[in-house]
Amino acid sequence: MVGQDKAELGGLLEILPPVEFCCIYGSKLHPNNKDETSMTDYIIGVSDPRQWHSENLKLNKDHYASCLIRLGGARMITDIANDIGVGVHFNPFVSCNNKMVKYGVVRMHDLIQDILGWERFYLSGRLQKPVNILMDNLDIKSVNSVNLKAATSAALLLLPSKFTEEDLYAKICSLSYTGDLRMLFAEDKNKVNNIVQGQFHLFEEMYKPFLEEYEAKNLLRFSLAGDKQVNIFQDCGLSAASTLVSSLPSSIRSEMAMKLGEKRILDDSGRVRQQVVIGSKEQAAECMQRLVRRKVMFSSTRQAVAGLLTAGAVHGVRYVANKMRKAWKSWV
């Protein structure tokens, strides 16, 4: 991140109880972000959120809304996160090293489940974009490769036979915003393009292994255009589409199978496995997109409600106002 080294970014960890995983995501990773009022966003992974919040309340009581402390403390915090939200509790507007930060706390088991299976498609969507990992005791970076390959496959299903590298990253980036109600009124309408254009080389680094894998399987072909832009051509045949579907998370494949049907096949190792029956690439893409949109809509709505309940009235209004201000600037 421009102007901030890892030690400075990790300052938050020095005042929190021990964590298993920590990364920074969001607009602060954009090299051209000059907005000093925007918060630095952290994802914090812990083994036991209730115990962790109990310890953090002793160390950093001011990070939490006073109503939460009065009504039930750590138990109330985790109950709202799990029963109303999607398992994540956010503390916004926390002052650290003269900067404003927001950190979301999640159980490690839930984080891994979302990364591997898109069960809620909430934090997994954030980890499909560039992040700055500060702590990784369980090697989440390696686990996330499954998530990145699935995102590549999903984006390719949605793209035509010819597209650019930037088109691909924009489609990947947009997956986790499809169906997010905030995009209608509380997010910058240029958000996806800003993320991709501002972090293009980071996207290249993240997704290069999967593009090379699909190129080796003759699913993709690359051509360098005159303006140094890379054009990508993909096989849109039924066999290629089936290969892409097979790399989607199990929860998505299972729901697609319920709608489109499935059959048993022998894989390369001689084992029997279930395969989604698709009539065309377009059919598979439409079905997959509807499922992803529904997951995003459900999760983003639940988390928005939980966020308003746990942030407190002042912080809740302040957070929404900041989002609306950015959205308004992008529209006018």
Side-chain angles (χ1 to χ4, degrees):
M1 184 184 297
V2 177
Q4 288 179 286
D5 59 24
K6 203 157 188 172
E8 182 181 352
L9 293 171
L12 176 65
L13 296 180
E14 296 177 3
I15 64 172
L16 298 178
V19 307
E20 297 289 338
F21 174 78
C22 176
C23 75
I24 294 172
Y25 70 95
S27 61
K28 276 295 187 179
L29 290 177
H30 194 304
N32 296 321
N33 185 356
K34 301 295 191 294
D35 186 0
E36 292 298 324
T37 64
S38 63
M39 291 182 286
T40 302
D41 297 309
Y42 292 76
I43 296 172
I44 302 286
V46 301
S47 58
D48 184 343
R50 181 175 293 182
Q51 178 62 34
W52 190 90
H53 284 299
S54 179
E55 295 176 19
N56 197 36
L57 280 165
K58 297 173 184 175
L59 296 172
N60 301 294
K61 189 176 179 180
D62 57 320
H63 291 187
Y64 298 84
S66 57
C67 59
L68 282 179
I69 300 172
R70 291 196 307 269
L71 294 175
R75 179 184 292 272
M76 173 71 76
I77 291 165
T78 52
D79 284 351
I80 292 175
N82 294 328
D83 299 338
I84 298 176
V86 291
V88 189
H89 169 80
F90 284 98
N91 280 333
F93 300 105
V94 172
S95 179
C96 179
N97 292 334
N98 298 316
K99 304 286 185 181
M100 278 296 182
V101 308
K102 177 183 73 175
Y103 63 91
V105 181
V106 62
R107 186 187 304 274
M108 286 301 300
H109 175 269
D110 294 341
L111 176 61
I112 292 170
Q113 288 296 107
D114 200 38
I115 288 172
L116 295 178
W118 292 8
E119 296 296 334
R120 288 164 168 166
F121 203 54
Y122 188 74
L123 294 181
S124 52
R126 282 150 178 75
L127 292 174
Q128 290 168 358
K129 307 170 189 70
V131 297
N132 188 345
I133 296 177
L134 304 176
M135 176 75 69
D136 193 7
N137 291 343
L138 300 183
D139 200 12
I140 294 300
K141 183 177 181 179
S142 295
V143 174
N144 195 48
S145 62
V146 175
N147 182 30
L148 299 184
K149 183 175 180 179
T152 304
S153 299
L156 290 173
L157 280 172
L158 295 169
L159 287 165
S161 59
K162 178 186 176 182
F163 50 91
T164 66
E165 198 173 0
E166 186 173 315
D167 291 335
L168 173 62
Y169 301 144
K171 188 63 68 176
I172 290 171
C173 188
S174 68
L175 289 173
S176 59
Y177 297 126
T178 303
D180 190 335
L181 297 179
R182 296 174 305 168
M183 295 301 291
L184 298 177
F185 64 91
E187 289 289 1
D188 185 341
K189 69 182 180 68
N190 302 312
K191 185 167 189 171
V192 169
N193 288 335
N194 290 341
I195 291 172
V196 173
Q197 292 169 7
Q199 304 176 57
F200 185 84
H201 294 302
L202 295 177
F203 274 99
E204 277 187 309
E205 184 180 331
M206 288 175 70
Y207 287 97
K208 182 179 179 181
F210 313 107
L211 297 183
E212 289 179 342
E213 177 186 340
Y214 283 159
E215 182 183 25
K217 292 180 177 179
N218 296 317
L219 298 178
L220 299 179
R221 181 169 57 87
F222 297 85
S223 174
L224 188 62
D227 57 357
K228 295 185 179 181
Q229 180 174 256
V230 175
N231 288 326
I232 305 176
F233 301 84
Q234 70 166 320
D235 181 351
C236 291
L238 205 55
S239 176
S242 293
T243 298
L244 296 177
V245 169
S246 70
S247 293
L248 297 176
S250 57
S251 67
I252 299 292
R253 293 200 314 272
S254 296
E255 292 186 65
M256 289 180 70
M258 290 176 62
K259 295 180 180 299
L260 303 178
E262 62 182 353
K263 62 183 179 181
R264 292 184 177 183
I265 64 165
L266 284 175
D267 62 19
D268 295 336
S269 62
R271 291 179 297 182
V272 177
R273 65 178 179 86
Q274 302 297 116
Q275 183 183 63
V276 179
V277 176
I278 59 174
S280 66
K281 176 176 179 285
E282 292 73 23
Q283 181 195 48
E286 183 181 354
C287 182
M288 182 271 299
Q289 188 172 39
R290 283 201 306 268
L291 295 172
V292 169
R293 181 185 292 116
R294 189 172 66 190
K295 280 182 178 286
V296 173
M297 184 178 294
F298 187 64
S299 293
S300 62
T301 302
R302 285 182 59 176
Q303 190 59 41
V305 173
L308 288 174
L309 289 174
T310 56
V314 175
H315 281 170
V317 170
R318 185 180 176 188
Y319 182 71
V320 172
N322 278 357
K323 286 288 187 180
M324 292 290 288
R325 176 179 57 82
K326 290 182 180 179
W328 177 251
K329 285 174 65 178
S330 74
W331 282 102
V332 299

